Amino acid sequence: MKIYKYNGRCNASGENIRRLRERANLSQEKLAARLQLKGLPLNHKSISRL
């Protein structure tokens, strides 16, 4: 699998996800729980990798 860089970074969305998660006062675990209720099988470790 090839890793692509955007502006020198490998992850273009991680900062936005963190900013929005913190604005909503959600921990990684709480965000994962909400996503699971919506049908996305993610756990808090998956969120931390984003």
Side-chain angles (χ1 to χ4, degrees), residues 35-48:
L35 291 173
Q36 288 172 5
L37 290 174
K38 299 288 185 182
L40 293 170
L42 297 173
N43 58 27
H44 73 281
K45 288 187 178 189
S46 299
I47 301 295
S48 70

Side-chain angles (χ1 to χ4, degrees), residues 9 11-22 50:
R9 302 193 61 166
N11 184 346
S13 61
E15 285 184 28
N16 288 330
I17 292 170
R18 180 178 183 176
R19 181 177 44 83
L20 293 169
R21 180 179 59 77
E22 289 176 347
L50 294 175

Side-chain angles (χ1 to χ4, degrees), residues 20-31 34:
L20 293 169
R21 180 179 59 77
E22 289 176 347
R23 186 185 299 169
N25 293 320
L26 292 173
S27 66
Q28 291 176 352
E29 189 172 339
K30 287 181 182 179
L31 176 59
R34 284 191 179 190

